[in-house]
Amino acid sequence: MESIYDNRCKNLNKVKKEFSTNRDMAVKFNTTEQSIGQLLNGNRKIGNNFARRVESEMGLPTNSFDQRNIDIPSEIEEISKKIAELIVELDVPPEKIIQIIKTIYASSEK
């Protein structure tokens, strides 16, 4: 079973995708580039204060950084745009889109 520190490390690596460099991340989260590197590779554990700072700066719900598989807002936007492009490209009628959403929702409840 993964620890809270494993979850935080994985989530920080997801957040990393939003930045060009570790230096950019360090500036955003008011720490050093070296610290960011250690946190990203798991050589240093991410504490409560840093986890809450990342959540605050990234617009994430409090304590979400401790959970498995958080969604970064830009990831959701990117996926939504790709889905919308496919819907337009395939000329999917609205009633089919509703049916697809219901099917996805039903399968996620299992």
Side-chain angles (χ1 to χ4, degrees), residues 5-6 8-9 12 31-47 50 53:
Y5 300 107
D6 295 328
R8 289 174 179 173
C9 184
L12 187 64
T31 190
T32 66
E33 190 175 349
Q34 181 182 11
S35 291
I36 290 293
Q38 292 171 341
L39 295 168
L40 286 168
N41 65 27
N43 287 344
R44 187 169 154 203
K45 291 182 179 180
I46 298 171
F50 188 77
R53 187 178 331 147

Side-chain angles (χ1 to χ4, degrees), residues 96-107:
K96 292 272 188 188
I97 295 169
I98 293 168
Q99 186 179 5
I100 291 167
I101 292 169
K102 286 179 180 178
T103 302
I104 291 169
Y105 181 75
S107 68

